Amino acid sequence: MMISEEEISLDNLDMLAECHKGFIIRTVSALTGRYVSIEHDDAYMIALEGFAEAVAKYDSSRGSFLGFAKLVMESRLKNYLVKEGRTETMASLDALRESGWDFPDRISEEERCLKEEIEEYRQQLAYFDLDLEILADTAPKHRDTRENAIGIAEKTSRDRQAVSLTWQKRRLPVRAVARLADVTEKVVKTGKHFILAALIIFVKKYPGLSDWVKKAGGIQ
Amino acid sequence: MCEKAVVLEIKDDYCLVMTEEGSIVRILKKSGIREGQKIYILEEDLYCSKDFVKGSAVLPFFSREKDCGSGNSGCGKRKAIMTKILTAAAAFLIFVGTLSLPQLSDPAYAAVSFDGEKSVQLRLDDENRVISAKSYDETVNKDVLSDMEGCRLEELWDVLRDFSGEDEPVLVAGAPLKRRAEEDTEALWEEICENLNESICLRGEKKDVREADKQNKSLGIYLLEKAVDEDALAEYFGAEQGEKLAVFLKKHQEKMPQIYRKYVQLSEAGDDDAEDFEQDQDEADDEEIGDESDDSRDDDEDEKPGGSVVKPQNPDDEDSDAPSEDGNEEASDADDEDENGDSDEEEDENEDDNEEESRDERI
């Protein structure tokens, strides 16, 4: 999205930060060599501060805004990393982990619960001879199709008979699901792995994954 | 692209995450990544490997060669292969398209040929406008043909009438070239009949137009030849056009000698049949009057249908069969009555037979 020079002011900071979210994340990720966490990420916050500073200090004589903003953000991030000694620590911790050492992660309770959920979920998938690799290869590519599949899984999860049949047969009862969701059998067959994977999440009521999938399927 | 994702599984080279859109994708493994972590992923974070080409959720990102290259070397090769495949597919489509598009976009709706002293075949669109005009025997000047193109058929009646002498028949053949034209051509026929009084109308099909073109003949001449070859003039022309056809063929015998020769042969065969039939009829009647033997009657009955005449030049071509059959029926009815042996009825029978004879003679 093109931003005019007049728009680059602190009054528009929120809009500018939102528009350049990818740019900020990319800058952080490139410098730290890791992914930016959604929940709380110190480096991301520092980068945002740097971005705000760039917005405040920018004028046209400094060249392009994004070039200038990147320079400011990188400068602030480097200062932060040096101060925290993060880069070296991360590298040494990784090296120790690789050599067999185990360090407890500073992770939130929510993340820990989600991790447990995921482990259990993977076991359930294995019960149906599925794994995440299969899902990555067979999941519908189109957003609408995915949403539709998640909707079908949600409807099916409310039918006890269909659910018990699924667990009993260790596969998706295509005809029953098609009838329940009022779609053709072909639709169910095409996305059977994905529907089954979503169905497991709804039936087992994994709170973290369930919220995530519902959001993806546009289910309130 | 900047999406939220939750890390589901960490593998040796990559991680599996579920995006907020619900898709499960592979991303590059970076330091500090943990299962259950919610992260932002960018387009360049997607992991692409030749192992996951087929059906992979990470397929759409070919353009990030640099990023993919940093992750693994398979991406560049895959891109090269895909480029080759796409190039081949594009070349194939262009080739097929070049061949098929002209046919698909052909606006020709019907083809009509006019054969008289001069011959022309027109391809018409759905508004009876001439798309192309061709003279297979080159009797029509190219300038005239090019002038015809773009004109509506009703503007060409005067030109088409000049293709033959006054009161001389013109052989007009038409065929629909599109399925939806099959019904509309009725109106076209009516228009032709109205404007070319002496026309001999023939109807063909799209395949006939194709075949005629292959043989470098107009549709009319092709169909006429076909009708003569198949000894099916009555089927092609109908009984009422026989006379006009005879005149037409006689007039243009030099132009189409083979067709004319076959036509004459057919006509002579038809005449012989007719004579045989009349002779048989006379003999049968004589025998009926003189001798009431059942055998001879049976023979007559067997022979009469066999003696039905197909005389192409006769306008009552098809009808000629019908009355004779009727005649047979009547005769057989009469025979049944003869068997009763009543003399009054016999007289009536003779009267009937006389009527029968006179009708046959008329035919």
Side-chain angles (χ1 to χ4, degrees):
Chain A
M1 184 184 169
M2 291 296 292
I3 305 280
S4 63
E5 273 189 31
E6 291 77 39
E7 286 177 311
I8 303 169
S9 75
L10 283 173
D11 297 338
N12 298 326
L13 184 60
D14 288 345
M15 183 269 285
L16 287 168
E18 190 58 38
C19 288
H20 295 96
K21 196 174 182 178
F23 166 72
I24 299 166
I25 290 167
R26 190 172 285 117
T27 308
V28 174
S29 192
L31 202 75
T32 59
R34 59 178 180 80
Y35 288 105
V36 173
S37 178
I38 290 173
E39 283 148 349
H40 181 81
D41 195 298
D42 290 340
Y44 182 67
M45 296 309 290
I46 297 294
L48 267 180
E49 284 173 18
F51 185 79
E53 190 184 334
V55 170
K57 289 183 177 173
Y58 177 73
D59 65 63
S60 55
S61 64
R62 294 175 189 271
S64 84
F65 169 69
L66 291 182
F68 176 67
K70 190 176 181 183
L71 204 69
V72 176
M73 283 192 293
E74 281 180 347
S75 171
R76 300 292 166 267
L77 278 168
K78 278 174 189 168
N79 289 341
Y80 165 76
L81 292 173
V82 169
K83 196 177 170 184
E84 293 289 308
R86 288 277 291 170
T87 316
E88 286 175 21
T89 315
M90 287 292 288
S92 60
L93 281 177
D94 284 343
L96 285 169
R97 272 201 195 93
E98 276 171 21
S99 60
W101 288 84
D102 189 26
F103 296 95
D105 291 319
R106 290 186 297 166
I107 56 171
S108 66
E109 189 61 32
E110 192 191 345
E111 197 176 308
R112 199 185 300 278
C113 290
L114 191 55
K115 190 182 174 182
E116 284 170 10
E117 263 180 40
I118 291 165
E119 272 174 21
E120 204 184 319
Y121 177 55
R122 289 212 303 260
Q123 285 171 9
Q124 282 295 327
L125 285 174
Y127 177 80
F128 291 96
D129 283 334
L130 279 178
D131 60 27
L132 294 167
E133 298 281 3
I134 295 172
L135 289 179
D137 291 337
T138 59
K141 307 284 178 289
H142 293 279
R143 190 177 180 168
D144 291 347
T145 319
R146 277 199 302 269
E147 283 181 7
N148 191 31
I150 291 168
I152 292 169
E154 205 269 333
K155 277 180 191 167
T156 310
S157 70
R158 284 185 260 150
D159 188 275
R160 280 185 188 176
Q161 204 178 345
V163 170
S164 64
L165 197 64
T166 306
W167 257 260
Q168 191 188 323
K169 292 195 168 186
R170 291 191 171 200
R171 61 181 168 81
L172 198 70
V174 174
R175 190 167 295 171
V177 172
R179 209 177 300 129
L180 273 172
D182 198 20
V183 291
T184 61
E185 284 181 30
K186 194 183 172 187
V187 170
V188 181
K189 265 184 196 170
T190 311
K192 63 180 180 184
H193 292 319
F194 189 76
I195 294 169
L196 182 56
L199 179 67
I200 294 168
I201 293 172
F202 289 129
V203 171
K204 292 291 170 185
K205 294 187 172 67
Y206 300 124
L209 287 173
S210 195
D211 284 351
W212 200 257
V213 168
K214 276 181 180 173
K215 245 185 271 174
I219 301 164
Q220 298 301 316
Chain B
M1 179 199 133
C2 173
E3 271 192 279
K4 291 175 186 175
V6 60
V7 183
L8 297 177
E9 193 171 2
I10 299 168
K11 297 276 185 181
D12 291 340
D13 301 328
Y14 57 90
C15 304
L16 286 150
V17 299
M18 185 190 282
T19 68
E20 62 182 344
E21 287 190 349
S23 60
I24 294 170
V25 294
R26 298 179 181 90
I27 59 165
L28 296 170
K29 192 176 174 183
K30 288 186 182 177
S31 65
I33 195 164
R34 303 179 299 271
E35 280 177 15
Q37 190 183 10
K38 289 176 181 172
I39 54 171
Y40 288 108
I41 57 166
L42 302 164
E43 205 173 304
E44 58 261 40
D45 297 325
L46 294 165
Y47 179 83
C48 36
S49 164
K50 62 182 173 184
D51 299 333
F52 302 118
V53 170
K54 194 182 174 186
S56 171
V58 296
L59 257 180
F61 305 103
F62 291 123
S63 58
R64 313 297 297 189
E65 190 176 17
K66 187 184 160 192
D67 301 310
C68 290
S70 65
N72 53 76
S73 60
C75 199
K77 283 181 189 171
R78 193 177 69 186
K79 189 187 173 187
I81 292 165
M82 286 304 289
T83 310
K84 280 178 188 170
I85 291 168
L86 288 173
T87 310
F92 177 75
L93 283 174
I94 290 166
F95 178 71
V96 171
T98 312
L99 290 177
S100 62
L101 273 178
Q103 290 168 8
L104 291 173
S105 61
D106 187 3
Y109 201 64
V112 190
S113 73
F114 299 87
D115 292 284
E117 283 174 8
K118 293 176 182 177
S119 165
V120 70
Q121 184 161 318
L122 309 173
R123 288 160 72 84
L124 306 172
D125 67 8
D126 53 355
E127 291 176 349
N128 289 348
R129 199 178 290 279
V130 178
I131 297 166
S132 65
K134 188 174 182 181
S135 178
Y136 284 92
D137 57 2
E138 295 177 351
T139 47
V140 182
N141 192 315
K142 279 183 183 175
D143 294 334
V144 177
L145 292 173
S146 60
D147 287 345
M148 281 180 167
E149 287 172 14
C151 294
R152 290 176 71 92
L153 192 61
E154 54 259 36
E155 295 165 356
L156 297 173
W157 294 128
D158 291 336
V159 182
L160 294 170
R161 276 188 207 107
D162 289 344
F163 280 8
S164 59
E166 209 168 301
D167 297 333
E168 282 175 9
V170 183
L171 179 65
V172 183
L177 296 177
K178 290 200 170 141
R179 192 171 291 172
R180 62 195 165 92
E182 284 168 10
E183 291 172 8
D184 297 349
T185 44
E186 290 298 329
L188 180 65
W189 286 117
E190 282 174 19
E191 200 178 335
I192 290 168
C193 291
E194 276 174 25
N195 289 283
L196 299 171
N197 289 329
E198 293 304 317
S199 60
I200 307 164
C201 289
L202 257 175
R203 296 192 196 192
E205 293 170 5
K206 191 177 177 179
K207 63 179 179 184
D208 295 322
V209 179
R210 262 203 308 266
E211 200 55 40
D213 193 54
K214 268 186 204 169
Q215 295 182 18
N216 201 31
K217 288 173 186 161
S218 71
L219 178 65
I221 299 297
Y222 169 77
L223 287 173
L224 176 59
E225 194 174 6
K226 201 175 162 188
V228 171
D229 284 344
E230 292 173 7
D231 190 5
L233 287 162
E235 283 171 30
Y236 278 82
F237 291 92
E240 67 278 2
Q241 297 195 112
E243 217 166 281
K244 284 187 209 168
L245 181 66
V247 174
F248 174 82
L249 282 169
K250 201 171 183 183
K251 169 85 182 163
H252 301 289
Q253 55 179 291
E254 286 174 9
K255 205 171 164 184
M256 45 191 98
Q258 284 183 337
I259 297 175
Y260 182 71
R261 208 176 300 130
K262 280 182 189 173
Y263 172 77
V264 170
Q265 282 169 4
L266 282 175
S267 304
E268 283 171 357
D271 288 343
D272 291 345
D273 287 346
E275 280 169 19
D276 291 346
F277 171 71
E278 279 170 18
Q279 207 173 337
D280 291 344
Q281 192 84 348
D282 291 344
E283 282 171 10
D285 291 342
D286 292 345
E287 281 169 14
E288 275 167 26
I289 294 162
D291 179 24
E292 292 178 1
S293 98
D294 289 340
D295 293 338
S296 65
R297 283 198 297 267
D298 290 342
D299 290 345
D300 288 345
E301 280 173 14
D302 290 342
E303 283 171 16
K304 278 170 193 171
S308 61
V309 183
V310 178
K311 199 176 179 184
Q313 80 275 26
N314 191 337
D316 300 328
D317 215 343
E318 286 180 343
D319 296 339
S320 64
D321 292 338
S324 67
E325 281 170 12
D326 292 343
N328 290 341
E329 282 169 19
E330 283 173 26
S332 62
D333 290 341
D335 292 345
D336 292 342
E337 285 169 11
D338 281 350
E339 280 170 11
N340 295 333
D342 295 337
S343 61
D344 292 340
E345 286 173 358
E346 233 174 69
E347 281 173 16
D348 293 340
E349 275 313 302
N350 289 336
E351 281 172 16
D352 287 345
D353 288 337
N354 289 335
E355 280 176 20
E356 203 57 40
E357 276 174 36
S358 61
R359 191 189 295 170
D360 286 337
E361 278 170 10
R362 280 202 302 277
I363 292 161

